[in-house]
Amino acid sequence: SQQGEEDPQALSIQEGENATMNCSYKTSINNLQWYRQNSGRGLVHLILIRSNEREKHSGRLRVTLDTSKKSSSLLITASRAADTASYFCATDSLYGNNRLAFGKGNQVVVIP
Amino acid sequence: EAGVAQSPRYKIIEKRQSVAFWCNPISGHATLYWYQQILGQGPKLLIQFQNNGVVDDSQLPKDRFSAERLKGVDSTLKIQPAKLEDSAVYLCASSLDLGRSGGELFFGEGSRLTVL
């Protein structure tokens, strides 16, 4: 079964606003990754945060990780229409045979 | 650098027929993955290879699905016979790391299968 579960499932925002997505997981992890998927395309890696890190930035992306709550959040600041996509978190479990397990995904629509 | 190549992009078959998908990973990537993504869901791992050996195939329906990675490079995923519930996008991914520490995965564009 897949570990990550994103919340909320769908988000519609105006261009320029911030978008926040959450992900929870069940077992201890080595790291957590976020991926973006545009409609009809493959997934693209956005950012990886290791279990001993609490926050990481990459451009307009900010990821936090709370291992005590087994949760992560992805913040996209100053959103653009091109950010319209589905966003997935994926966890590399300590006990999962190196299997990267994906959550159900958040669909984000940025309205120009 | 060339990305992960997959073919065909689209395939429509009738149930009980067979289908094969091909994947060419990024050069030098030791680990190759096949994921199944049903519409509206996240990708589910079917099989993971490290070079030409299978690391994890616990979620592969082995009565109808098979996969191989000859010479540790290209891979094929076959479904025979197909069922309606196999309708999905089949994503191939590769990574540089040798399976440990969960490195970044590079995905192909996927092969969309429709079973009628």
Side-chain angles (χ1 to χ4, degrees):
Chain A
S1 64
Q2 296 189 24
Q3 286 200 88
E5 293 196 10
E6 292 83 7
D7 173 43
Q9 296 290 314
L11 184 63
S12 182
I13 57 174
Q14 295 288 332
E15 200 166 32
E17 293 181 337
N18 296 341
T20 300
M21 290 153 270
N22 298 306
C23 167
S24 61
Y25 55 92
K26 294 183 173 65
T27 66
S28 297
I29 60 172
N30 290 308
N31 66 64
L32 184 144
Q33 303 179 35
W34 285 91
Y35 287 79
R36 182 187 74 228
Q37 185 177 36
N38 291 88
S39 181
R41 309 293 296 274
L43 282 77
V44 174
H45 180 265
L46 294 176
I47 195 164
L48 180 153
I49 186 166
R50 301 199 181 278
S51 59
N52 61 353
E53 297 176 309
R54 291 297 166 258
E55 186 171 315
K56 203 162 183 180
H57 296 253
S58 177
R60 295 184 295 112
L61 305 179
R62 173 176 167 255
V63 170
T64 62
L65 179 64
D66 187 336
T67 52
S68 66
K69 295 181 180 178
K70 292 186 169 57
S71 68
S72 172
S73 68
L74 171 66
L75 168 68
I76 305 174
T77 60
S79 64
R80 304 168 183 169
D83 295 328
T84 294
S86 293
Y87 293 83
F88 296 88
C89 74
T91 51
D92 174 27
S93 170
L94 273 177
Y95 317 110
N97 194 25
N98 307 322
R99 180 195 306 172
L100 199 61
F102 285 82
K104 297 188 177 98
N106 276 277
Q107 187 171 0
V108 175
V109 175
V110 181
I111 302 166
Chain B
E1 175 181 83
V4 176
Q6 288 190 246
S7 67
R9 284 295 314 274
Y10 305 93
K11 189 75 177 180
I12 300 174
I13 62 173
E14 299 200 345
K15 58 184 180 184
R16 290 188 290 273
Q17 287 186 324
S18 63
V19 63
F21 302 113
W22 172 83
C23 173
N24 179 240
I26 293 173
S27 177
H29 281 195
T31 310
L32 183 147
Y33 313 77
W34 282 102
Y35 281 86
Q36 179 193 57
Q37 186 177 25
I38 292 172
L39 186 65
Q41 299 184 18
K44 171 187 141 185
L45 181 68
L46 293 176
I47 189 166
Q48 177 180 339
F49 293 94
Q50 181 173 318
N51 296 310
N52 60 348
V54 175
V55 173
D56 185 349
D57 64 356
S58 58
Q59 300 188 106
L60 186 74
K62 298 181 186 63
D63 57 334
R64 298 182 302 104
F65 286 65
S66 65
E68 60 181 6
R69 189 182 185 195
L70 298 176
K71 300 180 183 178
V73 182
D74 292 6
S75 177
T76 56
L77 175 71
K78 296 179 182 176
I79 307 174
Q80 181 179 13
K83 293 185 175 181
L84 296 177
E85 58 261 35
D86 298 333
S87 293
V89 176
Y90 291 87
L91 294 162
C92 179
S94 67
S95 66
L96 183 61
D97 66 283
L98 297 181
R100 192 55 249 179
S101 80
E104 172 184 353
L105 268 60
F106 294 81
F107 281 83
E109 296 291 326
S111 295
R112 180 180 297 275
L113 173 66
T114 301
V115 182
L116 303 175

